PDB file of all heavy atoms in Angstrom:
ATOM      1  N   LEU A 963       0.817  -1.202   0.000  1.00  0.00           N
ATOM      2  CA  LEU A 963       0.000   0.000   0.000  1.00  0.00           C
ATOM      3  C   LEU A 963       0.853   1.256   0.000  1.00  0.00           C
ATOM      4  O   LEU A 963       1.973   1.266   0.518  1.00  0.00           O
ATOM      5  CB  LEU A 963      -0.917   0.016   1.231  1.00  0.00           C
ATOM      6  CG  LEU A 963      -1.938  -1.122   1.356  1.00  0.00           C
ATOM      7  CD1 LEU A 963      -2.635  -1.060   2.718  1.00  0.00           C
ATOM      8  CD2 LEU A 963      -2.961  -1.070   0.224  1.00  0.00           C
ATOM      9  N   ASP A 964       0.283   2.331  -0.569  1.00  0.00           N
ATOM     10  CA  ASP A 964       0.925   3.651  -0.535  1.00  0.00           C
ATOM     11  C   ASP A 964       0.282   4.567   0.481  1.00  0.00           C
ATOM     12  O   ASP A 964       0.813   5.637   0.773  1.00  0.00           O
ATOM     13  CB  ASP A 964       0.874   4.296  -1.917  1.00  0.00           C
ATOM     14  CG  ASP A 964       1.701   3.533  -2.940  1.00  0.00           C
ATOM     15  OD1 ASP A 964       2.935   3.663  -2.914  1.00  0.00           O
ATOM     16  OD2 ASP A 964       1.100   2.789  -3.741  1.00  0.00           O
ATOM     17  N   GLY A 965      -0.870   4.171   1.017  1.00  0.00           N
ATOM     18  CA  GLY A 965      -1.523   4.996   2.007  1.00  0.00           C
ATOM     19  C   GLY A 965      -2.843   4.389   2.448  1.00  0.00           C
ATOM     20  O   GLY A 965      -3.396   3.498   1.812  1.00  0.00           O
ATOM     21  N   ILE A 966      -3.312   4.862   3.606  1.00  0.00           N
ATOM     22  CA  ILE A 966      -4.606   4.482   4.159  1.00  0.00           C
ATOM     23  C   ILE A 966      -5.418   5.757   4.322  1.00  0.00           C
ATOM     24  O   ILE A 966      -4.907   6.773   4.798  1.00  0.00           O
ATOM     25  CB  ILE A 966      -4.442   3.774   5.521  1.00  0.00           C
ATOM     26  CG1 ILE A 966      -3.602   2.500   5.371  1.00  0.00           C
ATOM     27  CG2 ILE A 966      -5.803   3.441   6.125  1.00  0.00           C
ATOM     28  CD1 ILE A 966      -3.183   1.881   6.694  1.00  0.00           C
ATOM     29  N   LEU A 967      -6.691   5.710   3.921  1.00  0.00           N
ATOM     30  CA  LEU A 967      -7.574   6.862   4.031  1.00  0.00           C
ATOM     31  C   LEU A 967      -8.628   6.579   5.093  1.00  0.00           C
ATOM     32  O   LEU A 967      -9.457   5.676   4.928  1.00  0.00           O
ATOM     33  CB  LEU A 967      -8.257   7.149   2.693  1.00  0.00           C
ATOM     34  CG  LEU A 967      -7.344   7.403   1.491  1.00  0.00           C
ATOM     35  CD1 LEU A 967      -8.179   7.592   0.227  1.00  0.00           C
ATOM     36  CD2 LEU A 967      -6.447   8.604   1.723  1.00  0.00           C
ATOM     37  N   LEU A 968      -8.595   7.333   6.192  1.00  0.00           N
ATOM     38  CA  LEU A 968      -9.600   7.226   7.241  1.00  0.00           C
ATOM     39  C   LEU A 968     -10.533   8.427   7.151  1.00  0.00           C
ATOM     40  O   LEU A 968     -10.075   9.561   7.041  1.00  0.00           O
ATOM     41  CB  LEU A 968      -8.941   7.203   8.621  1.00  0.00           C
ATOM     42  CG  LEU A 968      -8.301   5.905   9.087  1.00  0.00           C
ATOM     43  CD1 LEU A 968      -7.692   6.091  10.469  1.00  0.00           C
ATOM     44  CD2 LEU A 968      -9.301   4.774   9.109  1.00  0.00           C
ATOM     45  N   THR A 969     -11.823   8.176   7.223  1.00  0.00           N
ATOM     46  CA  THR A 969     -12.776   9.269   7.099  1.00  0.00           C
ATOM     47  C   THR A 969     -13.258   9.797   8.443  1.00  0.00           C
ATOM     48  O   THR A 969     -13.440  10.998   8.615  1.00  0.00           O
ATOM     49  CB  THR A 969     -13.990   8.852   6.265  1.00  0.00           C
ATOM     50  OG1 THR A 969     -14.634   7.728   6.883  1.00  0.00           O
ATOM     51  CG2 THR A 969     -13.563   8.490   4.849  1.00  0.00           C
ATOM     52  N   HIS A 970     -13.488   8.907   9.423  1.00  0.00           N
ATOM     53  CA  HIS A 970     -13.969   9.357  10.722  1.00  0.00           C
ATOM     54  C   HIS A 970     -13.784   8.249  11.751  1.00  0.00           C
ATOM     55  O   HIS A 970     -13.267   7.175  11.437  1.00  0.00           O
ATOM     56  CB  HIS A 970     -15.425   9.817  10.641  1.00  0.00           C
ATOM     57  CG  HIS A 970     -16.408   8.774  10.229  1.00  0.00           C
ATOM     58  ND1 HIS A 970     -16.478   8.274   8.952  1.00  0.00           N
ATOM     59  CD2 HIS A 970     -17.393   8.146  10.928  1.00  0.00           C
ATOM     60  CE1 HIS A 970     -17.450   7.385   8.869  1.00  0.00           C
ATOM     61  NE2 HIS A 970     -18.015   7.287  10.069  1.00  0.00           N
ATOM     62  N   ALA A 971     -14.234   8.537  12.991  1.00  0.00           N
ATOM     63  CA  ALA A 971     -13.864   7.692  14.128  1.00  0.00           C
ATOM     64  C   ALA A 971     -14.874   6.609  14.479  1.00  0.00           C
ATOM     65  O   ALA A 971     -14.631   5.836  15.414  1.00  0.00           O
ATOM     66  CB  ALA A 971     -13.629   8.572  15.363  1.00  0.00           C
ATOM     67  N   HIS A 972     -16.002   6.520  13.795  1.00  0.00           N
ATOM     68  CA  HIS A 972     -16.977   5.483  14.125  1.00  0.00           C
ATOM     69  C   HIS A 972     -16.360   4.098  14.006  1.00  0.00           C
ATOM     70  O   HIS A 972     -15.511   3.851  13.130  1.00  0.00           O
ATOM     71  CB  HIS A 972     -18.201   5.586  13.212  1.00  0.00           C
ATOM     72  CG  HIS A 972     -19.099   6.730  13.573  1.00  0.00           C
ATOM     73  ND1 HIS A 972     -20.059   7.223  12.715  1.00  0.00           N
ATOM     74  CD2 HIS A 972     -19.185   7.488  14.695  1.00  0.00           C
ATOM     75  CE1 HIS A 972     -20.702   8.220  13.298  1.00  0.00           C
ATOM     76  NE2 HIS A 972     -20.176   8.404  14.496  1.00  0.00           N
ATOM     77  N   ALA A 973     -16.803   3.188  14.849  1.00  0.00           N
ATOM     78  CA  ALA A 973     -16.159   1.881  14.956  1.00  0.00           C
ATOM     79  C   ALA A 973     -16.212   1.074  13.667  1.00  0.00           C
ATOM     80  O   ALA A 973     -15.333   0.244  13.419  1.00  0.00           O
ATOM     81  CB  ALA A 973     -16.802   1.083  16.091  1.00  0.00           C
ATOM     82  N   ASP A 974     -17.231   1.291  12.834  1.00  0.00           N
ATOM     83  CA  ASP A 974     -17.291   0.523  11.588  1.00  0.00           C
ATOM     84  C   ASP A 974     -16.330   1.066  10.531  1.00  0.00           C
ATOM     85  O   ASP A 974     -16.050   0.388   9.540  1.00  0.00           O
ATOM     86  CB  ASP A 974     -18.719   0.461  11.044  1.00  0.00           C
ATOM     87  CG  ASP A 974     -19.335   1.832  10.799  1.00  0.00           C
ATOM     88  OD1 ASP A 974     -18.958   2.792  11.494  1.00  0.00           O
ATOM     89  OD2 ASP A 974     -20.209   1.948   9.911  1.00  0.00           O
ATOM     90  N   HIS A 975     -15.787   2.273  10.758  1.00  0.00           N
ATOM     91  CA  HIS A 975     -14.829   2.861   9.823  1.00  0.00           C
ATOM     92  C   HIS A 975     -13.414   2.917  10.401  1.00  0.00           C
ATOM     93  O   HIS A 975     -12.444   2.909   9.652  1.00  0.00           O
ATOM     94  CB  HIS A 975     -15.279   4.275   9.432  1.00  0.00           C
ATOM     95  CG  HIS A 975     -16.487   4.293   8.559  1.00  0.00           C
ATOM     96  ND1 HIS A 975     -16.442   4.615   7.218  1.00  0.00           N
ATOM     97  CD2 HIS A 975     -17.783   4.010   8.830  1.00  0.00           C
ATOM     98  CE1 HIS A 975     -17.659   4.522   6.702  1.00  0.00           C
ATOM     99  NE2 HIS A 975     -18.497   4.166   7.666  1.00  0.00           N
ATOM    100  N   LEU A 976     -13.305   2.999  11.708  1.00  0.00           N
ATOM    101  CA  LEU A 976     -12.007   3.003  12.377  1.00  0.00           C
ATOM    102  C   LEU A 976     -11.927   1.792  13.291  1.00  0.00           C
ATOM    103  O   LEU A 976     -12.497   1.770  14.384  1.00  0.00           O
ATOM    104  CB  LEU A 976     -11.807   4.284  13.187  1.00  0.00           C
ATOM    105  CG  LEU A 976     -10.603   4.313  14.138  1.00  0.00           C
ATOM    106  CD1 LEU A 976      -9.305   4.010  13.410  1.00  0.00           C
ATOM    107  CD2 LEU A 976     -10.525   5.642  14.869  1.00  0.00           C
ATOM    108  N   SER A 977     -11.228   0.766  12.836  1.00  0.00           N
ATOM    109  CA  SER A 977     -11.003  -0.451  13.609  1.00  0.00           C
ATOM    110  C   SER A 977      -9.545  -0.478  14.039  1.00  0.00           C
ATOM    111  O   SER A 977      -8.639  -0.619  13.212  1.00  0.00           O
ATOM    112  CB  SER A 977     -11.327  -1.694  12.767  1.00  0.00           C
ATOM    113  OG  SER A 977     -10.736  -2.847  13.333  1.00  0.00           O
ATOM    114  N   PHE A 978      -9.309  -0.347  15.341  1.00  0.00           N
ATOM    115  CA  PHE A 978      -7.934  -0.365  15.835  1.00  0.00           C
ATOM    116  C   PHE A 978      -7.285  -1.721  15.608  1.00  0.00           C
ATOM    117  O   PHE A 978      -6.097  -1.811  15.273  1.00  0.00           O
ATOM    118  CB  PHE A 978      -7.909   0.005  17.325  1.00  0.00           C
ATOM    119  CG  PHE A 978      -8.296   1.425  17.595  1.00  0.00           C
ATOM    120  CD1 PHE A 978      -9.513   1.724  18.192  1.00  0.00           C
ATOM    121  CD2 PHE A 978      -7.451   2.475  17.253  1.00  0.00           C
ATOM    122  CE1 PHE A 978      -9.876   3.036  18.434  1.00  0.00           C
ATOM    123  CE2 PHE A 978      -7.807   3.787  17.493  1.00  0.00           C
ATOM    124  CZ  PHE A 978      -9.024   4.075  18.091  1.00  0.00           C
ATOM    125  N   SER A 979      -8.037  -2.793  15.776  1.00  0.00           N
ATOM    126  CA  SER A 979      -7.468  -4.124  15.561  1.00  0.00           C
ATOM    127  C   SER A 979      -7.049  -4.313  14.112  1.00  0.00           C
ATOM    128  O   SER A 979      -6.050  -4.981  13.822  1.00  0.00           O
ATOM    129  CB  SER A 979      -8.464  -5.211  15.980  1.00  0.00           C
ATOM    130  OG  SER A 979      -9.658  -5.111  15.229  1.00  0.00           O
ATOM    131  N   SER A 980      -7.790  -3.706  13.186  1.00  0.00           N
ATOM    132  CA  SER A 980      -7.418  -3.800  11.772  1.00  0.00           C
ATOM    133  C   SER A 980      -6.190  -2.946  11.475  1.00  0.00           C
ATOM    134  O   SER A 980      -5.285  -3.372  10.744  1.00  0.00           O
ATOM    135  CB  SER A 980      -8.589  -3.371  10.888  1.00  0.00           C
ATOM    136  OG  SER A 980      -9.693  -4.238  11.046  1.00  0.00           O
ATOM    137  N   LEU A 981      -6.128  -1.740  12.038  1.00  0.00           N
ATOM    138  CA  LEU A 981      -4.940  -0.903  11.847  1.00  0.00           C
ATOM    139  C   LEU A 981      -3.689  -1.594  12.367  1.00  0.00           C
ATOM    140  O   LEU A 981      -2.608  -1.455  11.790  1.00  0.00           O
ATOM    141  CB  LEU A 981      -5.114   0.448  12.553  1.00  0.00           C
ATOM    142  CG  LEU A 981      -6.104   1.442  11.940  1.00  0.00           C
ATOM    143  CD1 LEU A 981      -6.072   2.745  12.732  1.00  0.00           C
ATOM    144  CD2 LEU A 981      -5.790   1.706  10.474  1.00  0.00           C
ATOM    145  N   ASP A 982      -3.853  -2.350  13.434  1.00  0.00           N
ATOM    146  CA  ASP A 982      -2.691  -3.036  14.018  1.00  0.00           C
ATOM    147  C   ASP A 982      -2.134  -4.124  13.100  1.00  0.00           C
ATOM    148  O   ASP A 982      -0.989  -4.556  13.276  1.00  0.00           O
ATOM    149  CB  ASP A 982      -3.074  -3.645  15.371  1.00  0.00           C
ATOM    150  CG  ASP A 982      -3.321  -2.597  16.440  1.00  0.00           C
ATOM    151  OD1 ASP A 982      -2.874  -1.449  16.254  1.00  0.00           O
ATOM    152  OD2 ASP A 982      -3.969  -2.921  17.452  1.00  0.00           O
ATOM    153  N   LEU A 983      -2.940  -4.569  12.149  1.00  0.00           N
ATOM    154  CA  LEU A 983      -2.493  -5.601  11.211  1.00  0.00           C
ATOM    155  C   LEU A 983      -1.824  -5.014   9.970  1.00  0.00           C
ATOM    156  O   LEU A 983      -1.218  -5.748   9.188  1.00  0.00           O
ATOM    157  CB  LEU A 983      -3.683  -6.455  10.767  1.00  0.00           C
ATOM    158  CG  LEU A 983      -4.414  -7.253  11.854  1.00  0.00           C
ATOM    159  CD1 LEU A 983      -5.661  -7.905  11.267  1.00  0.00           C
ATOM    160  CD2 LEU A 983      -3.500  -8.300  12.473  1.00  0.00           C
ATOM    161  N   LEU A 984      -1.939  -3.708   9.800  1.00  0.00           N
ATOM    162  CA  LEU A 984      -1.463  -3.057   8.583  1.00  0.00           C
ATOM    163  C   LEU A 984      -0.122  -2.377   8.805  1.00  0.00           C
ATOM    164  O   LEU A 984       0.239  -2.046   9.945  1.00  0.00           O
ATOM    165  CB  LEU A 984      -2.505  -2.028   8.119  1.00  0.00           C
ATOM    166  CG  LEU A 984      -3.845  -2.636   7.682  1.00  0.00           C
ATOM    167  CD1 LEU A 984      -4.897  -1.549   7.525  1.00  0.00           C
ATOM    168  CD2 LEU A 984      -3.686  -3.413   6.376  1.00  0.00           C
ATOM    169  N   PRO A 985       0.648  -2.179   7.739  1.00  0.00           N
ATOM    170  CA  PRO A 985       1.982  -1.573   7.883  1.00  0.00           C
ATOM    171  C   PRO A 985       1.919  -0.152   8.430  1.00  0.00           C
ATOM    172  O   PRO A 985       0.943   0.577   8.209  1.00  0.00           O
ATOM    173  CB  PRO A 985       2.544  -1.598   6.458  1.00  0.00           C
ATOM    174  CG  PRO A 985       1.350  -1.729   5.564  1.00  0.00           C
ATOM    175  CD  PRO A 985       0.354  -2.519   6.330  1.00  0.00           C
ATOM    176  N   ARG A 986       2.976   0.220   9.150  1.00  0.00           N
ATOM    177  CA  ARG A 986       3.045   1.559   9.748  1.00  0.00           C
ATOM    178  C   ARG A 986       4.119   2.419   9.090  1.00  0.00           C
ATOM    179  O   ARG A 986       4.468   3.475   9.619  1.00  0.00           O
ATOM    180  CB  ARG A 986       3.302   1.451  11.247  1.00  0.00           C
ATOM    181  CG  ARG A 986       2.192   0.728  11.998  1.00  0.00           C
ATOM    182  CD  ARG A 986       2.230   1.002  13.473  1.00  0.00           C
ATOM    183  NE  ARG A 986       1.179   0.290  14.171  1.00  0.00           N
ATOM    184  CZ  ARG A 986       0.756   0.586  15.403  1.00  0.00           C
ATOM    185  NH1 ARG A 986       1.305   1.604  16.058  1.00  0.00           N
ATOM    186  NH2 ARG A 986      -0.201  -0.109  15.973  1.00  0.00           N
ATOM    187  N   ASP A 987       4.623   1.972   7.958  1.00  0.00           N
ATOM    188  CA  ASP A 987       5.606   2.769   7.231  1.00  0.00           C
ATOM    189  C   ASP A 987       4.981   3.462   6.032  1.00  0.00           C
ATOM    190  O   ASP A 987       5.673   3.855   5.091  1.00  0.00           O
ATOM    191  CB  ASP A 987       6.783   1.898   6.788  1.00  0.00           C
ATOM    192  CG  ASP A 987       6.365   0.740   5.879  1.00  0.00           C
ATOM    193  OD1 ASP A 987       5.148   0.464   5.796  1.00  0.00           O
ATOM    194  OD2 ASP A 987       7.258   0.129   5.255  1.00  0.00           O
ATOM    195  N   ILE A 988       3.659   3.611   6.062  1.00  0.00           N
ATOM    196  CA  ILE A 988       2.926   4.334   5.021  1.00  0.00           C
ATOM    197  C   ILE A 988       2.041   5.374   5.708  1.00  0.00           C
ATOM    198  O   ILE A 988       1.684   5.207   6.878  1.00  0.00           O
ATOM    199  CB  ILE A 988       2.055   3.389   4.156  1.00  0.00           C
ATOM    200  CG1 ILE A 988       1.061   2.627   5.035  1.00  0.00           C
ATOM    201  CG2 ILE A 988       2.927   2.430   3.363  1.00  0.00           C
ATOM    202  CD1 ILE A 988       0.063   1.793   4.257  1.00  0.00           C
ATOM    203  N   PRO A 989       1.679   6.458   5.025  1.00  0.00           N
ATOM    204  CA  PRO A 989       0.853   7.473   5.675  1.00  0.00           C
ATOM    205  C   PRO A 989      -0.570   6.994   5.936  1.00  0.00           C
ATOM    206  O   PRO A 989      -1.176   6.293   5.125  1.00  0.00           O
ATOM    207  CB  PRO A 989       0.878   8.640   4.678  1.00  0.00           C
ATOM    208  CG  PRO A 989       1.227   8.030   3.364  1.00  0.00           C
ATOM    209  CD  PRO A 989       2.122   6.868   3.672  1.00  0.00           C
ATOM    210  N   LEU A 990      -1.070   7.374   7.095  1.00  0.00           N
ATOM    211  CA  LEU A 990      -2.427   7.094   7.519  1.00  0.00           C
ATOM    212  C   LEU A 990      -3.152   8.446   7.578  1.00  0.00           C
ATOM    213  O   LEU A 990      -3.084   9.162   8.569  1.00  0.00           O
ATOM    214  CB  LEU A 990      -2.407   6.417   8.896  1.00  0.00           C
ATOM    215  CG  LEU A 990      -3.706   6.164   9.647  1.00  0.00           C
ATOM    216  CD1 LEU A 990      -4.635   5.254   8.863  1.00  0.00           C
ATOM    217  CD2 LEU A 990      -3.413   5.565  11.011  1.00  0.00           C
ATOM    218  N   PHE A 991      -3.816   8.812   6.485  1.00  0.00           N
ATOM    219  CA  PHE A 991      -4.433  10.129   6.383  1.00  0.00           C
ATOM    220  C   PHE A 991      -5.777  10.137   7.108  1.00  0.00           C
ATOM    221  O   PHE A 991      -6.579   9.202   6.984  1.00  0.00           O
ATOM    222  CB  PHE A 991      -4.629  10.515   4.919  1.00  0.00           C
ATOM    223  CG  PHE A 991      -3.351  10.670   4.160  1.00  0.00           C
ATOM    224  CD1 PHE A 991      -2.994   9.764   3.165  1.00  0.00           C
ATOM    225  CD2 PHE A 991      -2.477  11.714   4.435  1.00  0.00           C
ATOM    226  CE1 PHE A 991      -1.814   9.901   2.460  1.00  0.00           C
ATOM    227  CE2 PHE A 991      -1.288  11.862   3.738  1.00  0.00           C
ATOM    228  CZ  PHE A 991      -0.949  10.955   2.753  1.00  0.00           C
ATOM    229  N   ALA A 992      -6.029  11.231   7.851  1.00  0.00           N
ATOM    230  CA  ALA A 992      -7.250  11.343   8.634  1.00  0.00           C
ATOM    231  C   ALA A 992      -7.535  12.809   8.919  1.00  0.00           C
ATOM    232  O   ALA A 992      -6.632  13.652   8.845  1.00  0.00           O
ATOM    233  CB  ALA A 992      -7.111  10.566   9.946  1.00  0.00           C
ATOM    234  N   PRO A 993      -8.789  13.149   9.265  1.00  0.00           N
ATOM    235  CA  PRO A 993      -9.062  14.514   9.715  1.00  0.00           C
ATOM    236  C   PRO A 993      -8.137  14.880  10.876  1.00  0.00           C
ATOM    237  O   PRO A 993      -7.764  14.005  11.662  1.00  0.00           O
ATOM    238  CB  PRO A 993     -10.530  14.449  10.165  1.00  0.00           C
ATOM    239  CG  PRO A 993     -11.108  13.296   9.404  1.00  0.00           C
ATOM    240  CD  PRO A 993     -10.001  12.307   9.275  1.00  0.00           C
TER     241      PRO A 993
END
């Protein structure tokens, strides 16, 4: 991946357990 796009904080859109499975050397764009 080249980036992750987060739109808001609701649990169905922001899953911390899912973020923990994804690489952290790419930008995680969010408000």
Side-chain angles (χ1 to χ4, degrees):
L963 298 172
D964 294 283
I966 300 170
L967 303 177
L968 282 179
T969 59
H970 62 289
H972 285 163
D974 57 331
H975 290 252
L976 169 55
S977 162
F978 292 109
S979 60
S980 297
L981 288 183
D982 290 342
L983 298 173
L984 295 168
R986 298 198 181 197
D987 59 347
I988 58 174
L990 173 61
F991 296 111

